[in-house]
């Protein structure tokens, strides 16, 4: 299936989208209420992050019932209605399947704790080492050991994330059957998309100590992961050509992604990979302050674009999600040139080869949280790592500065609808603080303004439907060595598209390696640009040019 190449996905974090019952939590009715807004934007799919029954230790990525809706989000009737009304507007739903682990509150895990061997085999229970230490030295992604000891059983269980997120044993055919049943359950309701959480971690290799790292090389892109995905595809969504799937790939390799998202590999429609979003890390270490490396960003984007295209595999292209800081704060500017930089970043990502994902509020240029006190943070990963930094001897102030930049809460503050109390998100008290800049940055204002960031996103979504070159074109980098410009070319039949973006506040000049004669401007972020071979680019200037041969 390739008719999804001109589609755009919009990600909703329901907890922070819109609250309709005043409890301070967003809900499904909130999404329903904003369908017209989403239709106006023009998106084709809504990826909803998990709203299933969950203790919410990781905001729903700790699922305790995959078939029921957490009452704080609403009811199954609300869901059915949302699905129906979205479809009526040409919008499909994509659900988030968290299949690498369940909550420890899930009945399977509870039965395992009671000593039931059947359910123990759903997870990884292992005895400690002879000295009583954990079975391996692997670390949890949220800090500390990846093993939790259960005194009653004298065994440890594996959790690559929080200790209340126990990893499922996919080598057990019963587990795989359960997962298939869940996918079918939602397919029967008419769901046309699935996002699979950290799905490249489901096949564990040897349980050995890692003397080189945190253990990830033993379970990332593991030995049977492709078989398991092919089986899931064959038995569930592969039977419906209209279903779109995306796998979230943690620390993956491009070679594996050729298979996960290959046109003929019968695994998934596309992948999220994150290498380009680690250019402000130190290696894999996120909890540091280092400036973003633009050269590396460009190299990574280009090599994934070229590599995936050469292997006929499909990318998801994105800057933002609920785990990432806001892109305008990260690679753009929050104050002067806020609007120009948000538009530039949008163009730079949307013209790439792949399916664009927009995270709620990105289309408004929403910025990082702007918290001023530690008590405002909610995320388990942020709070754990803050403590780890403190335990290493870092001052509270320095640890806090790191949180401000990297915390996942940066993207989880409530959606800014209007200049009204709590940005119009809730009539109650929001579960997480609203960014005080909502008076300036909000949807009401931007839908009324002709040249807003919202309008720019809307134009990009439309262009993808209008010009086959955006959906189907090949990709080639332009001026890869330029110190401040990200530029590339797309080509398809009689259409050639060139996208040029100044990533910096400093003006610069750019000389096109191909003649720009006969090109017209499709979209830009300054009003008066003319296509010419030597461009003088203003702060964060971006231009999309098109040529059609007759
Ligand atoms: O995230 C996977 C993941 O490895 C990272 O995004 C991680 O959360 C962190 O940011 C690394 O520093 C997925 C979900 O998107 C995330 O919200 C969940 O917490 C996680 O899986 C566990 O289900």
């Amino acid at each position: 299936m390739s008719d999804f190449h001109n589609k755009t996905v919009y990600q909703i974090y329901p907890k922070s989208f819109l609250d309709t019952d005043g409890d301070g939590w967003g809900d499904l009715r909130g999404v329903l209420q904003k369908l017209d807004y989403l239709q106006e934007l023009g998106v084709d799919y809504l990826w909803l992050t998990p709203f299933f029954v969950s203790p919410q230790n990781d905001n729903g990525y700790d699922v305790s019932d995959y078939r029921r809706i957490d009452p704080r989000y609403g009811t199954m009737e609300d869901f059915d209605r949302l699905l129906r009304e979205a479809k009526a507007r040409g919008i499909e739903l994509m659900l988030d399947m968290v299949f690498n682990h369940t909550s420890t509150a899930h009945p399977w895990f509870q039965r395992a704790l009671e000593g039931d061997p059947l359910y123990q085999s759903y997870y990884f229970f292992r005895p400690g080492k002879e000295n009583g230490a954990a079975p391996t030295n692997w670390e949890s992604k949220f800090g500390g050991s990846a093993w939790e000891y259960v005194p009653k059983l004298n065994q440890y269980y594996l959790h690559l994330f929080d200790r209340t997120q126990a990893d499922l044993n996919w080598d057990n055919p019963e587990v795989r059957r359960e997962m298939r049943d869940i996918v079918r359950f939602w397919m029967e309701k008419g769901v046309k998309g699935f996002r699979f959480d950290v799905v490249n971690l489901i096949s564990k290799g040897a349980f050995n100590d890692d003397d080189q790292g945190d253990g990830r090389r033993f379970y990332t892109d593991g030995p049977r992961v492709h078989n398991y995905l092919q089986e899931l595809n064959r038995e569930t969504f592969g039977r419906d050509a209209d279903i779109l799937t995306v796998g979230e790939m943690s620390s993956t390799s491009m070679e594996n992604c050729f298979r996960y998202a290959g046109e003929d590999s019968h695994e998934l429609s596309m992948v999220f990979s994150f290498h380009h979003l680690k250019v402000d890390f130190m290696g894999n270490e996120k909890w540091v302050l280092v400036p973003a490396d633009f050269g590396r960003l460009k190299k990574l984007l280009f090599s994934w674009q070229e590599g995936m295209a050469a292997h006929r595999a499909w990318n998801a292209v994105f800057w933002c999600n609920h785990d990432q800081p806001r892109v305008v704060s990260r690679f753009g500017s929050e104050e002067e040139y806020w609007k120009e930089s948000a538009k530039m970043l949008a163009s730079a990502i949307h013209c790439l080869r792949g399916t664009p994902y927009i995270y709620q509020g990105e289309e408004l240029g929403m910025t990082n949280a702007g918290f001023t006190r530690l008590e405002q943070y909610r995320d388990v990963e942020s709070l754990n790592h803050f403590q780890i930094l403190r335990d290493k001897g870092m001052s509270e102030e320095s640890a806090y500065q790191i949180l401000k930049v990297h915390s996942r809460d940066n993207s989880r503050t409530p959606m800014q609808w209007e200049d009204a109390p709590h940005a119009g998100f809730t009539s109650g008290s929001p579960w997480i603080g609203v960014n005080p800049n909502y008076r300036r940055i909000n949807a009401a204002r931007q839908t009324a303004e002709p040249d807003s960031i919202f309008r720019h996103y809307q134009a990009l979504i439309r262009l993808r439907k209008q010009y086959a070159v955006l959906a189907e074109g090949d990709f080639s980098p332009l001026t890869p060595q330029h110190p401040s410009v990200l530029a590339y070319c797309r080509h398809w039949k009689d259409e050639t598209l060139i996208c040029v973006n100044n990533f910096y506040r400093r003006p610069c000049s750019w000389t096109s390696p191909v003649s720009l004669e006969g090109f017209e401007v499709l979209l830009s972020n300054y009003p008066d640009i003319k296509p010419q071979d030597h461009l003088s680019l203003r702060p964060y200037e971006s231009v999309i040019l098109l040529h059609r041969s007759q």
Side-chain angles (χ1 to χ4, degrees), residues 62-259:
D62 46 330
V63 180
S64 55
D65 187 337
Y66 291 93
R67 291 180 180 79
R68 280 176 43 230
I69 291 170
D70 192 311
R72 286 167 285 193
Y73 287 117
T75 63
M76 194 56 93
E77 287 67 47
D78 293 336
F79 175 80
D80 291 337
R81 177 148 180 235
L82 173 62
L83 187 84
R84 232 179 16 249
E85 298 214 7
K87 276 184 196 289
R89 290 168 176 81
I91 298 174
E92 297 290 351
L93 300 188
M94 174 184 267
L95 299 198
D96 205 326
M97 301 282 106
V98 190
F99 284 175
N100 174 69
H101 43 264
T102 72
S103 163
T104 51
H106 195 289
W108 301 335
F109 193 84
Q110 288 300 312
R111 273 177 224 152
L113 282 186
E114 284 157 17
D116 186 334
L118 175 69
Y119 288 101
Q120 283 176 352
S121 72
Y122 272 39
Y123 298 91
F124 294 103
F125 281 91
R126 293 286 182 279
K129 290 181 178 156
E130 264 172 32
N131 63 3
T136 69
N137 65 351
W138 299 359
E139 285 166 33
S140 151
K141 311 254 182 204
F142 292 167
S145 170
W147 296 94
E148 183 74 6
Y149 183 61
V150 184
K152 198 169 83 179
L153 301 173
N154 192 24
Q155 301 246 349
Y156 288 81
Y157 67 86
L158 179 70
H159 63 89
L160 296 180
F161 294 89
D162 186 53
R163 58 165 58 87
T164 64
Q165 293 167 301
D167 278 58
L168 282 165
N169 175 12
W170 276 66
D171 296 331
N172 181 345
E174 279 304 298
V175 168
R176 305 205 298 277
R177 184 190 53 75
E178 301 269 16
M179 300 295 111
R180 295 199 292 268
D181 287 351
I182 295 162
V183 173
R184 283 198 206 105
F185 173 85
W186 291 105
M187 275 173 63
E188 277 159 24
K189 286 199 160 279
V191 168
K192 292 291 183 192
F194 294 100
R195 179 251 188 199
F196 295 98
D197 190 55
V198 289
V199 77
N200 66 326
L201 310 185
I202 58 174
S203 171
K204 272 67 175 177
F207 287 94
N208 292 337
D209 272 342
D210 190 351
D211 51 12
Q212 295 166 28
D214 61 6
R216 66 182 70 191
R217 66 197 173 98
F218 291 107
Y219 56 75
T220 303
D221 302 320
R224 290 163 299 278
V225 64
H226 296 286
N227 307 11
Y228 294 160
L229 284 174
Q230 284 159 22
E231 180 187 66
L232 187 66
N233 174 312
R234 196 169 56 239
E235 303 285 330
T236 63
F237 53 81
R239 296 176 179 181
D240 180 345
D242 292 340
I243 290 183
L244 194 68
T245 54
V246 55
E248 187 204 26
M249 304 300 169
S250 167
S251 301
T252 189
S253 74
M254 213 196 293
E255 289 66 32
N256 275 289
C257 290
F258 299 157
R259 298 177 64 190

Side-chain angles (χ1 to χ4, degrees), residues 3 11 44 70 90 101-102 117 224 261 264 269 295 310 353 456 509 511 527:
D3 55 347
Q11 182 191 352
D44 303 284
D70 192 311
H101 43 264
T102 72
R224 290 163 299 278
D264 305 315
S269 318
R353 176 183 175 276
H456 192 85
S509 62
T511 304

Side-chain angles (χ1 to χ4, degrees), residues 69 156 169 176 184 218 224 226 266 269 293 298 311 331 347 373 476 487 492 516 521 539:
I69 291 170
Y156 288 81
N169 175 12
R176 305 205 298 277
R184 283 198 206 105
F218 291 107
R224 290 163 299 278
H226 296 286
H266 304 288
S269 318
D293 181 342
K298 209 155 61 154
H311 289 82
F331 301 133
S347 293
R373 287 174 294 112
S476 42
W492 177 251
L516 296 183
V521 177

